[in-house]
Every structure is written in C-alpha cells, then in structure tokens.
Amino acid sequence: MLAIASVMILACAPAQYLGRQQDDLLYLIGAHSLLEGRFRLLTVPGQPPLYMIGPGFPALLAPLALAAGENWWVYQAFCALLLAAAPWLLWRWLRSRLDGISAMLVCGLFALSPLVLSQAGTVMSEGPFLIAALGLLLAVERPAPKTASAWLLLATQTRTAALALLPAAIARPLSKRRWKEAALVGAPALSGALAFSLWSRAVSGSAQQKLEELAASYAGGLGRLPSVAWENSSYYLSSWGASFMPVSWSAAAPAVGAGLLSIAILGAWKILRRDRWEPALWLLAGTALLHLAWPWHYERYLIMPLPFLLWCLAEGLGRAAKPALAALLLCQGVFQSPQWLGHRQAWTKPELAGTYAWIKTRTKPSDVLASVMYVRDGFLSARPALPLPPSPDARSLHETLSSRKVRYILWQDGLDLGLSLDSSSAVRIQLERDADGLKDASYFKPVHEEPGEQARLYELR
C-alpha cells in the first residue's frame, strides 16, 4: 500500500504548471537569490526584498538550484519525491496508535486524496511542512528537545503558519513542569520568526507581508471574524467531503464533510480522555484556530492536518474503522483520484496562454508589465513585471505606474485569490477600484483582449 501510495503521487506530478500558484516561483527565486547571498525578488525591476515568504523552503531548494539552475522539472521532481515520502513517515508515526490495517488505510486515504494529488510535483511548501510536522511529533515522543526544536524551527522557517505547532511541541513538557525543556524546544523557532520579522521591517518597513495582510483584512475590527470562521469552515468541510464523491454530487459535500468531522471530533475526544497532552491533538487545535481566523483559504492548507484528521476519524469509527476506511478509500479511488492521473486537469496548462503568447510576440522584451499576479505573469510572458499598485482613482493609478516605467497592464477577470468573504474583503474592493480605473480611456488604452481567458491588456497613454 505504501509503495502504491508513493507511486500514485509521483504519477500525478506535476499536477499544476509552474507559476500557477505564484508562491512556487517565489520559492525558486528565493533559492537562487540565497545563492547570491541575499533574499530578493530577482525577477522584478528594482529587486525588492523577498519578505512575503520565509527563507526555510528556499534554503532547502538552494543546493538544488546550484546543481539544476533553470531546469525547472528537477525542482518539480524533488518536491514530488518529498510528498511521496510523507506516507512512509506517517506510517511510522501511526503504527503505535492504530492496528496495521487501519494505519495502512489512513496512509492510503491521505496519499490518494485529491487534496494531495492536486499538489503533486508543485514547488510549494506543503510537502516539507508536513514532513517537518511529522518529524516534530516523532521527536516529542522521546526526551530529545534538541531534535524537536530543530523540526519546529524547520517548520516555522518553511511556513509562518507553523507557529500554530508550538502548543504541540511544548504541551507535554509544560504538563510535567519541565520548563527548561519547553524553552529549549520553543526558543529557536520563536527566535527565528522574530529575526525574520526584524529583517523584514528593516528592509521593507513591514514586519512580514503575512502580518500586513492580516492587519489590512481586519482593519475595521474583529467583527468580521465570525463570518470569516464560518465561511472558512464551510469551505474546508466541503473540500474534504468532496474527496469521496462524484463531482456531480458536490452539493452534498459540506454535509459529508461535516459528518466526517463529527466522527473525527468523537475520535479526538476518545484520545483526549486517554491523554490530554497528546501533541497531535494540540497540533490540530492550533491549526484549526489559525485557519478559521485566517482571511484566506486554499485546499492545500488541508494537506498538513489531513493525516491527523484521518487518524481521529479512525479512532471515532472504533470497531467499524477498517470497513469504513476501506469504503472511503474505494470511493476516493473511483470518484476523485483518477482525474489527476494522465494530467487531464486544466491546471497543467496556463489559463492565459494566448495572452502570454501575444505579449511575447507583440511587445518589447524591455516593456514593463503590471498585474495582480505579477510574478506569475512576468515569468510566463518573459517580461519584467511589477505589482498593480492600490490607487484611489484612474489618475493616481496612471501616475504611479508611469513613475515606475510600466507600459502595459494585464487584467484578468474572475481571478480566484482564495479570499474569505471575497466580495467584501479589502483586497477585492481595491482591485475593483483598480479595474474601474483601467476603464478610463483618458489614461489607459485597451490593446488586446482574450475573451476565452477573461484577460485584457492595457497600455498607458
């Protein structure tokens, strides 16, 4: 089963074209930048500081960048191998908690989940984040604070969200009043996060882009929090439930997800009664609280907590675990997993391919482009690119872009940014203001449109 699980992940790679998520390019740029002794956006005019991602994953990719250069398939293969290794590490963690068959079924359910297969071979941090989380849980089972602190440091430098793992790392030593051990485990990760925040503030004026985005989203107060939490929970329950049913039954996905979560909560309660300091439960609790409040949601956020949710599900099912898990695996394998084999998904080709082709053939290599997904668009159109600046009106937008020597603006309708409460979010409201500004013919001239791609290209007058 473990071999099949790994082969399935490898067979689906790369599940997405390079650049689709934009962060994948940031990690690659970060790796190449580190080889030059700095951490900057090398592909953007002015090479601004790369403060929107942590340095952990780029540092992991840096030796690969030294050897592979711009052979992008090498990075995709490496990331596919990392994700394919996760079921084996998960098995090692599960074998002391579940019987052999149930543990194997959980590993299979994780590896063949469309949530996982859709990220196979993407140069994203979810794979190393999960491996770091599993390494942390294995380390805290033994009195090895140095090992646990190393895994926690790796996790937090890979993803800022890994700070939610801190309770899992120190819950046990704190319960036994081992204050020194708790400090040794948590201090490196907290120090690393603080050091990166201080560096970010020094070079960009912001503690971190993630914190800046969070503050902007809740600028009007925490009154949005209940609505954000409700939408995020509905989104994640729907994503999990949809993993086991045909696409045509998607309307039932939230109810199925809620049912699975109810059983998983029952399992978590059983585990809690046996051991209230179980690190994996604290990991789940911290992660759940973070992603309920975080005003963005993506299915890939489920990859790290998914194995532990499945473990709780198995515990909640009790004696029915083996047949129920096997049935879920069958449903998942029939209805969802196969669609990722053979790269039949639309995500394997750029959705703006026609627009990029026009830019490459009808503009000069030195022409600067501005867009919302500027790293992706600049990479795939082979043009220098800058972010579309927030502006109150068309005149201000034109002045800002002109001062930055931008010639073209690429606009894509219906761009999914993973925003919670999308229509009322500060980001969406600003983007709509920019979209209205681009329609002002006195400042911007439409030069090309791809209706099938919902994309338009404007030129500054």
Side-chain angles (χ1 to χ4, degrees), residues 227-246:
S227 298
V228 169
W230 174 259
E231 181 169 317
N232 285 354
S233 60
S234 300
Y235 175 86
Y236 291 123
L237 289 175
S238 179
S239 298
W240 194 21
S243 301
F244 307 101
M245 60 181 59

mmCIF file of all heavy atoms in Angstrom, residues 227-246:
data_model
loop_
_atom_site.group_PDB
_atom_site.id
_atom_site.type_symbol
_atom_site.label_atom_id
_atom_site.label_comp_id
_atom_site.label_asym_id
_atom_site.label_seq_id
_atom_site.Cartn_x
_atom_site.Cartn_y
_atom_site.Cartn_z
ATOM 1 N N SER A 227 -17.841 35.684 10.679
ATOM 2 C CA SER A 227 -18.204 35.387 9.287
ATOM 3 C C SER A 227 -17.061 34.708 8.552
ATOM 4 O O SER A 227 -17.275 33.773 7.761
ATOM 5 C CB SER A 227 -18.592 36.686 8.564
ATOM 6 O OG SER A 227 -19.719 37.276 9.160
ATOM 7 N N VAL A 228 -15.838 35.162 8.802
ATOM 8 C CA VAL A 228 -14.667 34.526 8.190
ATOM 9 C C VAL A 228 -14.557 33.080 8.649
ATOM 10 O O VAL A 228 -14.321 32.163 7.845
ATOM 11 C CB VAL A 228 -13.381 35.304 8.537
ATOM 12 C CG1 VAL A 228 -12.140 34.505 8.140
ATOM 13 C CG2 VAL A 228 -13.373 36.656 7.842
ATOM 14 N N ALA A 229 -14.719 32.853 9.958
ATOM 15 C CA ALA A 229 -14.625 31.497 10.504
ATOM 16 C C ALA A 229 -15.693 30.590 9.909
ATOM 17 O O ALA A 229 -15.421 29.418 9.576
ATOM 18 C CB ALA A 229 -14.747 31.537 12.029
ATOM 19 N N TRP A 230 -16.910 31.118 9.754
ATOM 20 C CA TRP A 230 -17.997 30.308 9.189
ATOM 21 C C TRP A 230 -17.711 29.953 7.731
ATOM 22 O O TRP A 230 -17.867 28.792 7.325
ATOM 23 C CB TRP A 230 -19.323 31.052 9.300
ATOM 24 C CG TRP A 230 -20.458 30.349 8.620
ATOM 25 C CD1 TRP A 230 -20.996 30.636 7.402
ATOM 26 C CD2 TRP A 230 -21.165 29.207 9.107
ATOM 27 N NE1 TRP A 230 -21.991 29.758 7.094
ATOM 28 C CE2 TRP A 230 -22.126 28.866 8.119
ATOM 29 C CE3 TRP A 230 -21.081 28.445 10.269
ATOM 30 C CZ2 TRP A 230 -22.997 27.796 8.269
ATOM 31 C CZ3 TRP A 230 -21.947 27.372 10.426
ATOM 32 C CH2 TRP A 230 -22.893 27.054 9.434
ATOM 33 N N GLU A 231 -17.283 30.944 6.947
ATOM 34 C CA GLU A 231 -17.009 30.660 5.534
ATOM 35 C C GLU A 231 -15.838 29.705 5.382
ATOM 36 O O GLU A 231 -15.870 28.787 4.556
ATOM 37 C CB GLU A 231 -16.728 31.954 4.761
ATOM 38 C CG GLU A 231 -16.454 31.684 3.289
ATOM 39 C CD GLU A 231 -16.426 32.933 2.445
ATOM 40 O OE1 GLU A 231 -17.300 33.794 2.643
ATOM 41 O OE2 GLU A 231 -15.530 33.040 1.587
ATOM 42 N N ASN A 232 -14.782 29.907 6.167
ATOM 43 C CA ASN A 232 -13.629 29.022 6.075
ATOM 44 C C ASN A 232 -13.983 27.596 6.466
ATOM 45 O O ASN A 232 -13.576 26.635 5.796
ATOM 46 C CB ASN A 232 -12.497 29.533 6.960
ATOM 47 C CG ASN A 232 -11.789 30.735 6.375
ATOM 48 O OD1 ASN A 232 -12.070 31.137 5.246
ATOM 49 N ND2 ASN A 232 -10.884 31.331 7.129
ATOM 50 N N SER A 233 -14.739 27.421 7.546
ATOM 51 C CA SER A 233 -15.119 26.079 7.968
ATOM 52 C C SER A 233 -15.977 25.405 6.910
ATOM 53 O O SER A 233 -15.795 24.212 6.608
ATOM 54 C CB SER A 233 -15.848 26.120 9.317
ATOM 55 O OG SER A 233 -17.028 26.900 9.226
ATOM 56 N N SER A 234 -16.898 26.152 6.308
ATOM 57 C CA SER A 234 -17.736 25.592 5.244
ATOM 58 C C SER A 234 -16.893 25.182 4.044
ATOM 59 O O SER A 234 -17.111 24.125 3.444
ATOM 60 C CB SER A 234 -18.790 26.620 4.804
ATOM 61 O OG SER A 234 -19.634 26.976 5.879
ATOM 62 N N TYR A 235 -15.916 26.010 3.717
ATOM 63 C CA TYR A 235 -15.031 25.720 2.576
ATOM 64 C C TYR A 235 -14.229 24.436 2.808
ATOM 65 O O TYR A 235 -14.169 23.562 1.939
ATOM 66 C CB TYR A 235 -14.095 26.911 2.364
ATOM 67 C CG TYR A 235 -13.052 26.688 1.296
ATOM 68 C CD1 TYR A 235 -13.335 26.940 -0.036
ATOM 69 C CD2 TYR A 235 -11.771 26.248 1.625
ATOM 70 C CE1 TYR A 235 -12.376 26.739 -1.021
ATOM 71 C CE2 TYR A 235 -10.810 26.045 0.650
ATOM 72 C CZ TYR A 235 -11.115 26.293 -0.673
ATOM 73 O OH TYR A 235 -10.169 26.096 -1.644
ATOM 74 N N TYR A 236 -13.622 24.329 3.982
ATOM 75 C CA TYR A 236 -12.778 23.159 4.243
ATOM 76 C C TYR A 236 -13.609 21.880 4.398
ATOM 77 O O TYR A 236 -13.182 20.805 3.959
ATOM 78 C CB TYR A 236 -11.918 23.399 5.484
ATOM 79 C CG TYR A 236 -10.863 24.453 5.264
ATOM 80 C CD1 TYR A 236 -10.788 25.580 6.082
ATOM 81 C CD2 TYR A 236 -9.945 24.350 4.232
ATOM 82 C CE1 TYR A 236 -9.833 26.562 5.878
ATOM 83 C CE2 TYR A 236 -8.987 25.320 4.016
ATOM 84 C CZ TYR A 236 -8.940 26.426 4.843
ATOM 85 O OH TYR A 236 -7.993 27.390 4.623
ATOM 86 N N LEU A 237 -14.772 21.987 5.012
ATOM 87 C CA LEU A 237 -15.636 20.804 5.121
ATOM 88 C C LEU A 237 -16.089 20.343 3.741
ATOM 89 O O LEU A 237 -16.131 19.147 3.457
ATOM 90 C CB LEU A 237 -16.851 21.117 6.002
ATOM 91 C CG LEU A 237 -16.571 21.281 7.494
ATOM 92 C CD1 LEU A 237 -17.839 21.697 8.231
ATOM 93 C CD2 LEU A 237 -16.016 19.987 8.093
ATOM 94 N N SER A 238 -16.417 21.281 2.885
ATOM 95 C CA SER A 238 -16.818 20.947 1.524
ATOM 96 C C SER A 238 -15.669 20.295 0.760
ATOM 97 O O SER A 238 -15.868 19.309 0.041
ATOM 98 C CB SER A 238 -17.291 22.206 0.799
ATOM 99 O OG SER A 238 -17.674 21.914 -0.523
ATOM 100 N N SER A 239 -14.468 20.833 0.917
ATOM 101 C CA SER A 239 -13.301 20.277 0.226
ATOM 102 C C SER A 239 -13.016 18.848 0.676
ATOM 103 O O SER A 239 -12.704 17.979 -0.151
ATOM 104 C CB SER A 239 -12.072 21.157 0.487
ATOM 105 O OG SER A 239 -12.256 22.454 -0.014
ATOM 106 N N TRP A 240 -13.117 18.606 1.970
ATOM 107 C CA TRP A 240 -12.868 17.254 2.481
ATOM 108 C C TRP A 240 -13.987 16.308 2.049
ATOM 109 O O TRP A 240 -13.724 15.198 1.575
ATOM 110 C CB TRP A 240 -12.749 17.288 4.005
ATOM 111 C CG TRP A 240 -12.178 16.030 4.591
ATOM 112 C CD1 TRP A 240 -11.426 15.088 3.944
ATOM 113 C CD2 TRP A 240 -12.298 15.572 5.938
ATOM 114 N NE1 TRP A 240 -11.066 14.076 4.808
ATOM 115 C CE2 TRP A 240 -11.582 14.345 6.038
ATOM 116 C CE3 TRP A 240 -12.927 16.087 7.067
ATOM 117 C CZ2 TRP A 240 -11.508 13.630 7.227
ATOM 118 C CZ3 TRP A 240 -12.828 15.369 8.259
ATOM 119 C CH2 TRP A 240 -12.140 14.159 8.343
ATOM 120 N N GLY A 241 -15.218 16.731 2.170
ATOM 121 C CA GLY A 241 -16.328 15.872 1.782
ATOM 122 C C GLY A 241 -16.317 15.536 0.307
ATOM 123 O O GLY A 241 -16.638 14.404 -0.096
ATOM 124 N N ALA A 242 -15.936 16.500 -0.534
ATOM 125 C CA ALA A 242 -15.915 16.281 -1.982
ATOM 126 C C ALA A 242 -14.878 15.253 -2.402
ATOM 127 O O ALA A 242 -14.936 14.732 -3.525
ATOM 128 C CB ALA A 242 -15.652 17.601 -2.697
ATOM 129 N N SER A 243 -13.939 14.946 -1.514
ATOM 130 C CA SER A 243 -12.882 13.978 -1.847
ATOM 131 C C SER A 243 -13.405 12.567 -2.049
ATOM 132 O O SER A 243 -12.696 11.720 -2.598
ATOM 133 C CB SER A 243 -11.817 13.961 -0.735
ATOM 134 O OG SER A 243 -11.238 15.222 -0.554
ATOM 135 N N PHE A 244 -14.651 12.311 -1.617
ATOM 136 C CA PHE A 244 -15.161 10.939 -1.619
ATOM 137 C C PHE A 244 -16.395 10.751 -2.494
ATOM 138 O O PHE A 244 -17.067 9.727 -2.381
ATOM 139 C CB PHE A 244 -15.492 10.510 -0.184
ATOM 140 C CG PHE A 244 -14.351 10.710 0.773
ATOM 141 C CD1 PHE A 244 -14.322 11.798 1.640
ATOM 142 C CD2 PHE A 244 -13.280 9.838 0.793
ATOM 143 C CE1 PHE A 244 -13.267 11.994 2.518
ATOM 144 C CE2 PHE A 244 -12.217 10.019 1.658
ATOM 145 C CZ PHE A 244 -12.211 11.100 2.525
ATOM 146 N N MET A 245 -16.687 11.708 -3.366
ATOM 147 C CA MET A 245 -17.915 11.599 -4.145
ATOM 148 C C MET A 245 -17.720 12.132 -5.556
ATOM 149 O O MET A 245 -16.762 12.876 -5.813
ATOM 150 C CB MET A 245 -19.046 12.351 -3.450
ATOM 151 C CG MET A 245 -18.777 13.826 -3.254
ATOM 152 S SD MET A 245 -20.137 14.651 -2.411
ATOM 153 C CE MET A 245 -20.177 13.732 -0.885
ATOM 154 N N PRO A 246 -18.611 11.775 -6.463
ATOM 155 C CA PRO A 246 -18.518 12.299 -7.821
ATOM 156 C C PRO A 246 -18.674 13.819 -7.830
ATOM 157 O O PRO A 246 -19.327 14.397 -6.951
ATOM 158 C CB PRO A 246 -19.693 11.631 -8.550
ATOM 159 C CG PRO A 246 -20.067 10.463 -7.704
ATOM 160 C CD PRO A 246 -19.729 10.830 -6.298
#
